[in-house]
Amino acid sequence: MSKGNLPRWVDLGLIPVLNLMMAFAVAGLMVMLIGENPIKALLVMIDGAFVYPGSLGYTLYYATNFIFSGLAVAVAFHAKLFNIGGEGQAMIGGLGAALVCLGLDAYLPGIAIIPIAIVAAAAFGAAWAFLPGFLQATRGSHVVITTIMFNFIAAGVIVTLLTGPLLREGQSTPQTRDFADSATLPKIHEIARALGFDMASSPLNISIILALIACVGVWVLIWRTPFGYRLRTFGESEPAARYSGVGVTSIIIITMCISGALAGLMSINDVLGAQEKLQINFTSGFGFTGIAVALMGRSHPVGIILASLLFGALYQGGAELSFEFRSIDRDMVLVIQGLIILFSGALAYMLEAPLSRVFGRRASLQGEAA
């Protein structure tokens, strides 16, 4: 059995679980080295992510960002494109949403502004990904290089605008004014309280529903449309795609724009839902973490949802560690999170070769017995 021909349950289930167990094992050793009990630390993380009042809301809030950024990376992955520019595309997407709210919230009701702002976030993100896709398709410029550069350019654009024309009047903090209340996404705890249910406050808002709808949309696009078939054909073999008449140039450009649009949508969770204004560094590296989410989720929407929940729990539960343990500061939490990202993302395929040999030998023995 060759690499890549593993049983589906091994590739989609066993390998991610084993990677996660190895990551937790190494992280546990590091916690032991600094003199703390790793089992106690794990329980604190679980309580901090799911049990404390409001913690589940924060976990799902972070997971929403990871769903959007993971989908953005996954769509590009299917065409063998490595879109590392989700961070910049989300920044520009947030700028698009903010411009709509700042320009229209005094004239239009929220029910009109919010859809326009969401479309603007997707459109600005797609536009920011268009040029890297165009350069890759027509000039051979690799999207890894161009999207990295575009991340820096996007950061420069946001800093320039938030310290200049978009700066809130009367203060030096680089952020816009607050949007009108009607132009923001309702929070889940506000909806629950309006319906008579008691729920702890958290930044979780209805953008999580949009993220789940985006998962369905990506699944339909990739596996149930002619465009998705051409995209996957190109990803499997560019020469075969060209021979079968696939427009390679258009596939690359459109795929990058779709990927950029999904990354741009990540911004609505924070800009329209949590902060209700545009702030500097609001993306917080979620665009880069989307790479690990897509790898761990095997670029499938269901896998991305599960991986996003895990990373959301790590972010929220990891923050609790620094409160509960004096020797575990924020930097140590980042190291633990980095280890899990390393094993679940960068080393996601480390076990494929040995497992292929194990399951290949097993298949051979079953064949001889038959």
Side-chain angles (χ1 to χ4, degrees):
M1 184 174 292
S2 62
K3 183 180 179 181
N5 292 325
L6 284 168
R8 193 169 178 79
W9 68 272
V10 175
D11 185 38
L12 300 181
L14 182 60
I15 289 180
V17 170
L18 291 176
N19 285 334
L20 190 60
M21 290 174 64
M22 288 191 297
F24 277 119
V26 176
L29 288 174
M30 295 196 63
V31 172
M32 288 179 65
L33 288 175
I34 61 173
E36 298 290 352
N37 186 331
I39 302 299
K40 184 180 177 182
L42 178 62
L43 292 176
V44 168
M45 285 189 69
I46 294 173
D47 285 345
F50 299 106
V51 179
Y52 295 154
S55 59
L56 180 59
Y58 276 91
T59 297
L60 294 177
Y61 160 72
Y62 291 126
T64 303
N65 286 325
F66 296 134
I67 289 174
F68 279 123
S69 61
L71 289 175
V73 176
V75 168
F77 271 173
H78 283 291
K80 291 294 185 291
L81 296 171
F82 198 73
N83 179 16
I84 204 170
E87 193 81 357
Q89 290 148 18
M91 290 182 199
I92 299 301
L95 174 63
L99 290 176
V100 169
C101 292
L102 293 172
L104 299 178
D105 64 357
Y107 308 104
L108 295 177
I111 195 171
I113 295 175
I114 291 174
I116 297 173
I118 293 172
V119 171
F124 273 57
W128 202 249
F130 168 79
L131 192 54
F134 178 79
L135 292 174
Q136 163 95 35
T138 60
R139 297 291 184 270
S141 302
H142 203 289
V143 291
V144 171
I145 304 300
T146 51
T147 51
I148 287 175
M149 294 298 104
F150 268 59
N151 284 340
F152 289 109
I153 297 171
V157 169
I158 295 296
V159 169
T160 301
L161 292 175
L162 289 182
T163 55
L166 295 182
L167 179 64
R168 183 177 186 172
E169 188 175 353
Q171 71 172 34
S172 58
T173 304
Q175 62 184 23
T176 66
R177 66 167 173 82
D178 294 343
F179 305 149
D181 290 340
S182 60
T184 59
L185 294 175
K187 294 185 173 60
I188 298 299
H189 71 267
E190 295 172 344
I191 297 173
R193 290 172 184 173
L195 295 174
F197 298 100
D198 185 28
M199 180 178 284
S201 300
S202 75
L204 179 65
N205 56 80
I206 63 170
S207 64
I208 190 172
I209 298 174
L210 298 176
L212 296 176
I213 293 173
C215 288
V216 176
V218 167
W219 180 80
V220 172
L221 175 73
I222 299 297
W223 284 280
R224 289 294 184 271
T225 66
F227 174 80
Y229 179 78
R230 293 194 294 272
L231 184 152
R232 286 183 288 123
T233 301
F234 172 73
E236 290 294 329
S237 173
E238 181 176 343
R242 289 184 183 276
Y243 185 75
S244 60
V246 173
V248 171
T249 300
S250 62
I251 284 288
I252 293 174
I253 295 174
I254 294 173
T255 300
M256 283 299 296
C257 288
I258 294 172
S259 178
L262 289 166
L265 284 173
M266 186 185 85
S267 64
I268 65 173
N269 187 34
D270 191 89
V271 175
L272 296 182
Q275 303 300 329
E276 303 176 351
K277 58 190 169 188
L278 182 63
Q279 293 179 310
I280 199 166
N281 293 329
F282 73 90
T283 52
S284 302
F286 295 137
F288 293 118
T289 309
I291 298 170
V293 171
L295 284 171
M296 189 172 184
R298 293 296 190 268
S299 298
H300 192 283
V302 175
I304 287 171
I305 291 173
L306 296 175
S308 297
L309 288 173
L310 170 66
F311 280 89
L314 289 174
Y315 264 71
Q316 173 57 24
E320 291 296 328
L321 286 177
S322 58
F323 290 111
E324 296 289 338
F325 297 91
R326 183 173 299 177
S327 56
I328 301 179
D329 57 13
R330 184 61 189 163
D331 292 333
M332 184 65 190
V333 173
L334 289 176
V335 170
I336 294 173
Q337 292 172 347
L339 280 170
I340 293 172
I341 292 174
L342 175 68
F343 279 92
S344 301
L347 303 178
Y349 297 96
M350 180 175 61
L351 296 177
E352 270 200 3
L355 286 176
S356 294
R357 287 193 291 272
V358 170
F359 283 91
R361 190 177 301 115
R362 180 183 174 189
S364 300
L365 292 174
Q366 288 176 343
E368 292 173 2

